[in-house]
Amino acid sequence: MKLEDMNSKIDEILKELTLEEKVKMIHGDALFYSGAVERLSIPAVNMSDGPMGVRQEFPKASWIPGGNSDDFVTYCPSNSAIAATWNKDLAYRAGVVIGQEARGRGKDIILGPGINIKRIPANGRNFEYMSEDPYLISQLVVPLIKGIQESDVAACVKHFALNNQETERLWVNVEIDERALREIYLPGFEAAVKKGGVESLMGAYNLIRGQHCCENKMLLKNILRDEWGYDGTIISDWDAVHDTKAAAESPLDIEMSVTYDFDDYKLANPLIEAVKKGEAKESDIDEKVHHILLMMFRLKMIGALAEERKAGCYNTPEHRSEVRGVAEESFVLLKNDDNRLPLSDKGLKELLVIGDNAERLHALGGGSAEIKALYEISPLMGIKSQLGGNTKVTYKRGYYVSPKEESQESWQEKSTDENLDQGAVVNARKQVSDEVRKKRDELRAEAVEAAAHFKDVILVVGLNHDYDVEGFDRDDITLPYEQDRLIEEVLEVNPDTVIVMMAGNAVSMGKWKDKAKTILWQWYCGMEGGNVLADIIFGRVNPSGKLPESMPYRMEDCGAIALGEYPGRPLTDEEKKLMNAHITEEYKDGIYVGYRYYEKYNVPVQYCFGHGLSYTTFEYSDITAVIDEFSVKNSKDKYQDGGEIILDESIKDKMAAKVSLNVKNTGKRFGKEIIEVYVGKSDSRVDRPVKELKGFEKVSLEAGASSHVTVELPIMAFSYYNEAKKNFVAENGKYQIYVGKSLEDIQKVCEVEI
């Protein structure tokens, strides 16, 4: 159906809807769906978390799951794992699985992907997000969204915008300069809207420049609706709306919350009363309903189109195969001295596996990303099941994790409580009783003793969803549960021990990383994670992931702390009069987030952005970079202004340069390599990062094979945001194009001139 036909039908429906029916459509009528209008056959919008698969079913008004057996699903790799593949095709295929499963469960919207910038390495929700780099996010979120929406279900990209910490997440006011906003924090969302065609978008909890995001006209109207031309549905995060009038006047379409008083939501009965008193306009409500109905037509939810809507499916063998394929390319081999990996399973008589994470299952944790998985293969199970009965696998827990006290209340009911003491929860993690300390000492001693008597040892350590979790940030990036001591003592008696670090967020490895020969990074990579780990350890799969984020040594090394004021400062007296916030945080780090900061300020990191090894080796040759004619033909007339090319929408994606090279697999086994292309300008008239990721390509090569690779760079790759001109501009002059295997492993620097 054409857009004009949909709009015409929507106009007819709006004339028939009463005020009460319209209002019913724009707020939650249950914890995960909006109100329906049965009189006109308008269904509810049925939503579900989240980014790692379709969440279990909840009753209309309870956060205690229904407990049925029909809502087990495929547990998908996290967005961090998808980003670590640097593979656009895999991002699309991961999206197809999520979309089919959401539709198969009868959902209209899946609440993901999450693409907030990883600004600090201790954000509790970083495991849900992709990267610290806006370009990498933009390249992967588009195919992910397209894959999801193929099944007549809407992706819901989140959280818009600047939701970069869990500390005071509902009440932190962010002050940021326009250049940082445009260059770092918005590109992923802009790509999701303009190139991904995302049908829904979730507003964030925090405030920006004094106004909550879900009521923020600058963010939702000026940028999203007017500048980007977005006509999709905007949904609030759960309990992110605070004022009826402000929300009514903002472009927000649907208010959701965590409480059960649905008729008392800000966009429910209070809005009806406001309209009747003349304090709110019904025309604003009409606009919200219009966006919802437009999404319904596009998803084939209403009218004759409903007969053509795809049915979806879930828990199929094909889905399990697809998520395994994504997981295979997400593992990152950080270190492999003496070619310790892969191990040979031929003649392997015994193997020692150590670590709580070797046996822990992670699917049903992490907050709203939790998944009721049909199954989850732990590292221990993956290793044992693949080795079979000819190898004796001994397991030692190694470190003690205090069990959580189960409550009849869901954490989500209290997650938005203004009086929630986040500090008390963080401090409670640090409290170690004598009993717990004794258990840890016993488990560690037992593991170290065993490690001294085994030739081959796999030590699986890292974080879990007590730390990678919604609602709370870590206060540092030290490994919990005294794991550093365990690792050091095991390496002391067995230097050949293979370290598997399972986490969704950066951790400090500085105390022992130089002593370890092999470190393999595993994200929360879905239900087949243990099988894939075994495949990689025994060489059936060659690791090909690379880090989508930097790994600093300490929390204090990141720019948000070194230059900024994370987690925020008390409000000034003037701010208290102007905003409903608890703290303000000025993003004084500006554009210097992640590797941009570490490289600019010469801060050493454990492992750099883009780092990742292989069991084979790759050689780059014949690297060239040439400027396309576009840059000559379009650097005059209306595009020329004071030595800068102003990039309007018509030329932003035009190719400006082409990078070419040959890549050869010089090793003895099949492998995949990611070629990374960065752009810098050493003599820029403005302060700029040393270099920024602007292109990449992943190639597959058999041993001895070569491939010719071309990476095209649009004119946007050479730009920065000019606040005075309120646009991206590209300076005339010379640029450096860096071609490398990682941010730090640059193979050649080419210079071009625009």
Side-chain angles (χ1 to χ4, degrees):
M1 184 183 292
K2 295 180 179 179
L3 179 60
E4 54 264 35
D5 295 331
M6 287 188 275
N7 285 332
S8 177
K9 287 188 174 292
I10 290 169
D11 289 339
E12 294 175 8
I13 295 171
L14 280 169
K15 291 175 184 176
E16 296 189 51
L17 286 166
T18 66
L19 171 63
E20 287 74 15
E21 288 171 334
K22 294 173 189 174
V23 169
K24 190 176 183 183
M25 291 178 63
I26 66 172
H27 70 85
D29 192 41
L31 291 177
F32 280 101
Y33 54 81
S34 62
V37 181
E38 291 85 356
R39 182 178 68 87
L40 297 177
S41 300
I42 299 174
V45 178
N46 197 337
M47 313 171 211
S48 176
D49 291 311
M52 297 171 72
V54 190
R55 204 171 175 191
Q56 60 195 317
E57 294 296 334
F58 292 89
K60 174 179 178 177
S62 172
W63 282 107
I64 305 301
N68 300 331
S69 64
D70 60 351
D71 56 355
F72 288 92
V73 292
T74 303
Y75 171 31
C76 303
S78 67
N79 287 332
S80 293
I82 293 172
T85 71
W86 294 58
N87 188 322
K88 300 167 199 174
D89 180 58
L90 282 184
Y92 165 77
R93 287 158 58 185
V96 169
V97 171
I98 293 173
Q100 288 181 353
E101 298 240 335
R103 203 48 228 118
R105 285 271 304 279
K107 308 303 178 184
D108 305 308
I109 297 176
I110 187 73
L111 302 172
I115 61 169
N116 291 105
I117 290 288
K118 295 188 178 187
R119 178 173 177 255
I120 60 164
N123 184 346
R125 295 189 83 169
N126 271 354
F127 75 98
E128 295 185 53
Y129 303 146
M130 285 186 165
S131 175
E132 67 188 32
D133 182 74
Y135 178 81
L136 183 59
I137 291 171
S138 299
Q139 292 299 302
L140 295 175
V141 73
V142 170
L144 181 58
I145 289 168
K146 288 183 175 180
I148 291 171
Q149 296 188 165
E150 272 194 5
S151 293
D152 296 333
V153 64
C156 185
V157 67
K158 62 185 186 182
H159 308 87
F160 192 62
L162 300 175
N163 189 174
N164 306 116
Q165 65 189 59
E166 292 300 281
T167 302
E168 289 285 10
R169 60 178 179 162
L170 276 79
W171 308 105
V172 56
N173 171 52
V174 175
E175 297 291 336
I176 186 172
D177 67 76
E178 195 69 13
R179 184 181 172 196
L181 179 67
R182 298 287 182 157
E183 289 189 20
I184 304 297
Y185 298 96
L186 293 187
F189 290 102
E190 186 173 5
V193 168
K194 291 183 177 179
K195 297 180 179 180
V198 70
E199 293 291 354
S200 67
L201 176 147
M202 185 185 294
Y205 278 130
N206 51 284
L207 299 85
I208 298 178
R209 297 171 183 167
Q211 190 171 31
H212 272 100
C213 287
C214 290
E215 301 159 9
N216 196 302
K217 289 186 179 180
M218 176 277 292
L219 190 65
L220 301 185
K221 184 179 188 304
N222 298 349
I223 295 176
L224 183 60
R225 292 288 193 210
D226 295 345
E227 187 180 325
W228 296 352
Y230 183 61
D231 63 0
T233 300
I234 305 174
I235 304 166
S236 78
D237 206 339
W238 271 233
D239 201 19
V241 176
H242 302 274
D243 183 87
T244 294
K245 187 175 185 340
E249 293 176 350
S250 85
L252 179 76
D253 298 314
I254 300 177
E255 176 196 4
M256 301 300 291
S257 192
V258 299
T259 57
Y260 314 141
D261 53 341
F262 308 112
D263 290 338
D264 294 327
Y265 284 11
K266 301 297 186 295
L267 294 184
N269 286 342
L271 178 57
I272 295 174
E273 292 302 312
V275 171
K276 291 178 178 178
K277 292 178 181 178
E279 297 170 354
K281 296 185 293 185
E282 189 168 353
S283 59
D284 288 336
I285 300 172
D286 289 346
E287 189 172 343
K288 300 177 191 301
V289 173
H290 184 105
H291 291 133
I292 296 168
L293 289 171
L294 184 59
M295 179 185 69
M296 287 182 170
F297 275 112
R298 286 171 170 164
L299 299 181
K300 302 175 184 176
M301 292 175 61
I302 54 177
L305 291 173
E307 298 298 320
E308 305 171 15
R309 194 178 191 191
K310 293 178 181 176
C313 53
Y314 63 107
N315 270 331
T316 67
E318 291 78 13
H319 289 176
R320 296 192 281 277
S321 175
E322 288 286 5
V323 299
R324 183 166 181 162
V326 175
E328 285 177 355
E329 295 193 28
S330 72
F331 279 70
V332 183
L333 185 59
L334 297 178
K335 187 177 182 181
N336 196 28
D337 291 355
D338 301 336
N339 294 318
R340 179 73 181 115
L341 287 182
L343 300 181
S344 174
D345 56 0
K346 300 269 192 275
L348 184 62
K349 297 300 183 183
E350 58 179 9
L351 177 71
L352 175 64
V353 178
I354 302 172
D356 180 85
N357 260 356
E359 200 179 30
R360 182 169 293 272
L361 302 181
H362 299 275
L364 199 59
S368 58
E370 64 189 23
I371 294 299
K372 188 177 175 182
L374 180 65
Y375 64 81
E376 178 182 355
I377 305 297
S378 69
L380 183 62
M381 182 177 181
I383 290 169
K384 291 187 74 171
S385 64
Q386 289 195 32
L387 286 176
N390 290 337
T391 303
K392 180 182 179 182
V393 178
T394 301
Y395 172 66
K396 301 293 182 183
R397 188 164 296 278
Y399 62 94
Y400 178 70
V401 177
S402 304
K404 278 185 172 180
E405 290 186 12
E406 296 301 326
S407 170
Q408 291 305 304
E409 289 185 314
S410 166
W411 66 273
Q412 212 142 358
E413 289 183 62
K414 296 182 178 180
S415 65
T416 61
D417 186 345
E418 186 171 359
N419 298 311
L420 181 66
D421 188 349
Q422 292 177 301
V425 175
V426 173
N427 288 331
R429 294 170 173 168
K430 297 179 180 180
Q431 304 304 315
V432 180
S433 67
D434 290 340
E435 181 183 2
V436 168
R437 189 173 288 107
K438 181 179 178 182
K439 286 182 179 179
R440 286 184 182 159
D441 289 344
E442 291 174 351
L443 290 175
R444 183 174 59 253
E446 186 180 62
V448 172
E449 169 66 21
H453 294 90
F454 277 78
K455 177 179 179 290
D456 295 303
V457 179
I458 309 295
L459 176 53
V460 188
V461 290
L463 301 178
N464 56 37
H465 285 312
D466 288 346
Y467 286 84
D468 279 325
V469 64
E470 179 177 353
F472 303 96
D473 295 328
R474 292 179 290 160
D475 59 350
D476 58 44
I477 59 171
T478 303
L479 283 170
Y481 315 122
E482 300 179 43
Q483 290 178 86
D484 282 327
R485 185 175 173 185
L486 169 67
I487 297 168
E488 288 185 280
E489 292 186 13
V490 168
L491 288 173
E492 184 69 29
V493 299
N494 192 322
D496 288 336
T497 295
V498 173
I499 309 295
V500 177
M501 184 63 65
M502 185 191 296
N505 210 340
V507 297
S508 177
M509 298 174 274
K511 291 182 178 179
W512 47 264
K513 81 177 187 69
D514 292 338
K515 303 173 186 175
K517 290 184 177 180
T518 302
I519 305 172
L520 179 64
W521 188 280
Q522 177 180 349
W523 311 91
Y524 303 115
C525 58
M527 63 202 307
E528 288 286 336
N531 282 331
V532 175
L533 175 63
D535 282 341
I536 288 175
I537 285 175
F538 298 113
R540 290 183 279 275
V541 170
N542 191 346
S544 65
K546 294 197 177 185
L547 290 177
E549 62 195 83
S550 310
M551 291 283 168
Y553 279 97
R554 305 177 307 149
M555 174 85 161
E556 296 77 15
D557 287 343
C558 80
I561 296 175
L563 300 178
E565 49 186 22
Y566 169 82
R569 58 165 172 78
L571 300 182
T572 65
D573 291 339
E574 187 63 25
E575 286 174 327
K576 290 176 182 177
K577 300 174 186 175
L578 298 174
M579 67 183 72
N580 180 22
H582 290 175
I583 58 175
T584 281
E585 183 174 352
E586 294 185 47
Y587 280 25
K588 294 179 181 178
D589 46 331
I591 61 172
Y592 291 106
V593 178
Y595 70 83
R596 289 166 170 80
Y597 169 74
Y598 301 123
E599 189 168 38
K600 182 77 169 183
Y601 290 90
N602 296 311
V603 179
V605 295
Q606 301 173 105
Y607 295 102
C608 70
F609 178 83
H611 171 73
L613 304 176
S614 171
Y615 293 157
T616 189
T617 53
F618 298 95
E619 180 182 275
Y620 296 7
S621 62
D622 300 324
I623 302 173
T624 61
V626 296
I627 287 293
D628 186 77
E629 278 297 303
F630 160 80
S631 62
V632 177
K633 291 187 292 188
N634 291 279
S635 62
K636 301 175 183 178
D637 304 323
K638 65 178 181 178
Y639 300 116
Q640 186 71 32
D641 183 10
E644 293 179 332
I645 306 168
I646 300 175
L647 307 184
D648 68 11
E649 288 297 322
S650 68
I651 66 171
K652 281 183 177 180
D653 292 327
K654 298 289 187 182
M655 187 179 74
K658 185 181 292 184
V659 178
S660 299
L661 68 152
N662 292 320
V663 181
K664 182 177 182 180
N665 182 343
T666 53
K668 297 180 179 180
R669 63 172 67 219
F670 169 82
K672 298 181 181 183
E673 170 68 338
I674 300 160
I675 298 95
E676 303 170 28
V677 178
Y678 299 83
V679 174
K681 185 165 178 46
S682 58
D683 62 349
S684 176
R685 68 179 63 185
V686 298
D687 189 29
R688 294 175 86 153
V690 176
K691 56 182 180 285
E692 300 175 277
L693 181 71
K694 295 299 179 182
F696 63 89
E697 195 66 42
K698 192 165 192 176
V699 295
S700 303
L701 292 170
E702 296 290 344
S706 297
S707 177
H708 183 73
V709 178
T710 299
V711 179
E712 295 183 351
L713 301 177
I715 190 65
M716 273 292 286
F718 301 89
S719 70
Y720 75 93
Y721 188 81
N722 186 310
E723 293 186 358
K725 295 172 183 175
K726 298 182 179 180
N727 213 329
F728 281 90
V729 301
E731 296 176 79
N732 288 338
K734 294 179 179 179
Y735 289 80
Q736 294 75 46
I737 295 180
Y738 303 80
V739 181
K741 300 179 179 181
S742 74
L743 180 81
E744 295 179 357
D745 189 1
I746 299 300
Q747 301 297 295
K748 187 174 181 179
V749 182
C750 304
E751 191 165 82
V752 298
E753 186 169 0
I754 292 182

